[in-house]
Amino acid sequence: MKAKIKVALIYKSTYHAFHPDFFEKSSFDFFMKALKRNQQMEISYFSVDGDYFDTKKLKNNYDIILLANHHPGAIPTILDGIQNLDIPVICRTGDQHFAKRDNTISFHEKYKIDYYFGSNPKSYFHRFLPHDFMYQEIPLGLEPSLYQNLRPYKERIKDKILNSGSVGKLTIKSRVANTILNPKRSAWYFYKLRTICNKLPYVDHAGMKGSKYVNDDYPTYLSRYRAAIAASTWYPTQKYWEITAAGCLTFMEITQKNDGSYLGFKDGETAIFINEKNYKDKFEEFLNDPDNPKWEEIANAGRQHSMDNLTNDNATEKLVDVMKKLL
């Protein structure tokens, strides 16, 4: 039996995404559950109080250093001695559009990062960060156990399409104000198609109240509907693999702009691809014949694709492959 890869995960004890009571559990499920399950690695957790961590204690004891994210809210500001360690450093990344605001590039040298990984496409990562930064697309957050024993497809709502998540306000005043005061940061900018779908009378959008979806956990909420919308303008979000995993016929925005082909979904086979020109026609084709068996076939195939390729365990295997490249 080959020796396991010894991994040291470093993070701040106050990092909200790693707290089990934080409403968005994808980071907790991946880092605190899925990594432990993988038989190829042995992970140790270094939860740090404050902004200082002495990395010299890791020498000769670990093969890989894993950083929770490259911003001060996730990891200590000072990783003392890391420049002198001959241990590869891998870092999760997200929200690359904040790279300039957060001075992300400076962390690259400071923490001696060899490789990055995250759910966004490479094109989006390199839009904001240098092309010589090594990056691997690893969609994470889907915990399969949460998507079992959901409501059967035929028992779900069929005359409405679910639209969940953040959207912009539909008033002209709101859109103009966001364009002027909040350019390239508003829900209109990131979720334009998801937002304009709410104009349609057959689209249900309850969103969230506080930090929870209305009445249900998210998988149960999704499984109330036969069909749901996954639409994000610049890159696919976790909803793409969550909605499909819940067995919904997924109307999925896949375009050259959001570069979502790396997820492996196929139009008409595992999802229905939509864009700003065809979304109404695609919705109405389903609603005019909701009992057509092809819709359930596509929904089932989409679920199977997500469960086979886009779970936290799949993500962990891809991360192990990155580690092997560096060792």
Side-chain angles (χ1 to χ4, degrees):
M1 180 178 178
K2 294 183 179 179
K4 292 185 178 182
I5 301 171
K6 294 184 178 180
V7 181
L9 172 62
I10 302 172
Y11 60 99
K12 291 179 73 169
S13 61
T14 54
Y15 185 38
H16 61 273
F18 282 7
H19 284 200
D21 56 348
F22 183 59
F23 81 93
E24 209 288 299
K25 298 185 182 303
S26 60
S27 293
F28 181 85
D29 287 342
F30 176 72
F31 284 95
M32 301 299 173
K33 293 181 180 180
L35 295 187
K36 291 179 182 178
R37 293 196 297 260
N38 191 276
Q39 296 300 305
Q40 298 186 74
M41 74 166 71
E42 180 182 311
I43 187 160
S44 298
Y45 294 87
F46 291 89
S47 176
V48 182
D49 296 327
D51 281 314
Y52 176 88
F53 180 74
D54 183 1
T55 66
K56 294 187 288 294
K57 68 179 72 175
L58 305 179
K59 187 176 182 179
N60 300 324
N61 293 316
Y62 292 93
D63 303 307
I64 294 286
I65 292 174
L66 183 60
L67 302 181
N69 215 319
H70 51 161
H71 63 76
I75 58 175
T77 305
I78 300 172
L79 297 179
D80 191 20
I82 198 167
Q83 292 290 338
N84 300 318
L85 288 181
D86 188 23
I87 303 177
V89 178
I90 301 175
C91 183
R92 187 200 178 175
T93 175
D95 290 342
Q96 289 87 21
H97 40 272
F98 289 135
K100 185 175 181 180
R101 184 197 72 179
D102 296 338
N103 195 20
T104 299
I105 292 178
S106 69
F107 301 142
H108 182 76
E109 294 296 333
K110 182 178 181 180
Y111 301 137
K112 198 176 67 67
I113 299 171
D114 295 283
Y115 226 106
Y116 298 86
F117 73 97
S119 297
N120 291 350
K122 289 181 180 178
S123 57
Y124 197 77
F125 176 86
H126 289 302
R127 180 180 171 187
F128 300 97
L129 293 163
H131 281 265
D132 60 349
F133 284 17
M134 302 299 291
Y135 176 78
Q136 178 66 47
E137 297 156 336
I138 302 182
L140 56 84
L142 181 61
E143 198 63 6
S145 63
L146 302 177
Y147 289 81
Q148 305 300 324
N149 303 314
L150 298 178
R151 185 176 304 185
Y153 180 86
K154 287 185 172 60
E155 297 177 12
R156 302 182 184 191
I157 296 168
K158 64 180 182 180
D159 59 349
K160 298 282 187 178
I161 299 173
L162 176 64
N163 190 23
S164 64
S166 299
V167 296
K169 293 181 179 180
L170 293 173
T171 63
I172 295 176
K173 180 179 179 181
S174 174
R175 189 170 186 183
V176 171
N178 274 298
T179 301
I180 297 172
L181 302 175
N182 195 27
K184 297 184 178 182
R185 293 293 178 267
S186 70
W188 269 104
Y189 179 76
F190 285 109
Y191 310 121
K192 180 182 177 183
L193 179 53
R194 188 195 298 177
T195 295
I196 61 179
C197 284
N198 273 7
K199 295 179 180 180
L200 301 172
Y202 49 76
V203 170
D204 274 356
H205 180 268
M208 301 178 74
K209 288 187 177 180
S211 61
K212 295 183 178 180
Y213 283 96
V214 179
N215 298 323
D216 297 304
D217 60 87
Y218 193 49
T220 303
Y221 179 53
L222 290 171
S223 70
R224 292 168 59 189
Y225 294 81
R226 288 189 182 182
I229 298 164
S232 188
T233 306
W234 297 102
Y235 51 83
T237 63
Q238 191 173 316
K239 292 184 183 300
Y240 281 58
W241 44 100
E242 289 176 331
I243 292 173
T244 47
C248 299
L249 174 68
T250 305
F251 291 100
M252 186 178 290
E253 183 177 16
I254 297 287
T255 64
Q256 288 186 338
K257 185 182 289 186
N258 72 14
D259 201 9
S261 60
Y262 68 98
L263 295 174
F265 291 102
K266 294 183 179 180
D267 187 23
E269 296 181 23
T270 51
I272 303 296
F273 290 1
I274 59 172
N275 55 50
E276 291 179 25
K277 294 181 179 180
N278 70 12
Y279 71 102
K280 290 182 183 178
D281 292 336
K282 297 289 185 178
F283 293 165
E284 290 170 5
E285 183 182 358
F286 163 72
L287 292 168
N288 288 334
D289 189 15
D291 292 320
N292 190 316
K294 72 177 181 179
W295 305 127
E296 185 175 4
E297 291 172 7
I298 295 171
N300 289 339
R303 172 179 165 79
Q304 192 65 49
H305 176 76
S306 290
M307 289 300 192
D308 287 345
N309 301 286
L310 298 170
T311 67
N312 276 332
D313 293 312
N314 295 125
T316 302
E317 287 294 330
K318 291 180 180 179
L319 182 57
V320 168
D321 289 340
V322 172
M323 294 176 183
K324 290 178 178 178
K325 289 180 183 178
L326 298 174
L327 295 176

